[in-house]
Amino acid sequence: MDKAEETKLTHRSTKEKKELITRLKRIEGQVRGIQNMIEDERYCVDILTQMSAIKAAMNNVGLHLLEKHARHCVSDAITDGNGDEAIEELMDIFKRFTKS
């Protein structure tokens, strides 16, 4: 398998997976709520407020994943002598994450 085709995996504890999935399901419910608000012709400011809450919730999930990646994946790569590549990857994801 080509390195570009390689799928990388990250081990997460059962507790962490459950917490992340719970957060994402809550966000999913908020998105469905916005769909209902639009169908019900709710006030624009109310919809935008809910959208802001969703964005903040997604950012929190993203920050959690970024921290986990830095503390484990990047740290392990540095220990294994692959730090430059891991730090470059981390910086790329920081750039993408902060554009949103």
Side-chain angles (χ1 to χ4, degrees):
M1 180 183 326
D2 179 318
K3 187 173 181 178
E5 296 174 12
E6 180 181 319
T7 300
K8 296 180 181 179
L9 301 176
T10 299
H11 173 73
R12 291 180 180 83
S13 69
T14 302
K15 179 183 177 200
E16 181 183 12
K17 281 190 245 186
K18 184 178 178 183
E19 288 172 356
L20 286 169
I21 289 169
T22 298
R23 286 181 184 182
L24 291 170
K25 285 182 178 183
R26 190 174 311 125
I27 292 166
E28 180 182 24
Q30 288 176 293
V31 171
R32 280 194 307 274
I34 288 175
Q35 291 169 340
N36 292 334
M37 291 173 80
I38 290 171
E39 287 174 358
D40 296 341
E41 298 182 0
R42 294 281 300 272
Y43 187 53
C44 296
V45 172
D46 294 339
I47 295 169
L48 291 166
T49 299
Q50 288 304 308
M51 290 178 70
S52 177
I54 290 169
K55 185 176 180 181
M58 286 296 293
N59 281 338
N60 285 334
V61 171
L63 287 171
H64 171 85
L65 293 171
L66 279 168
E67 180 178 1
K68 172 84 176 189
H69 182 66
R71 290 186 183 274
H72 297 278
C73 303
V74 175
S75 177
D76 291 348
I78 290 169
T79 301
D80 294 342
N82 300 316
D84 289 341
E85 182 181 329
I87 290 170
E88 186 175 317
E89 179 184 58
L90 179 63
M91 294 311 297
D92 286 344
I93 196 64
F94 267 123
K95 289 173 189 170
R96 281 187 267 159
F97 189 76
T98 57
K99 280 185 181 180
S100 59

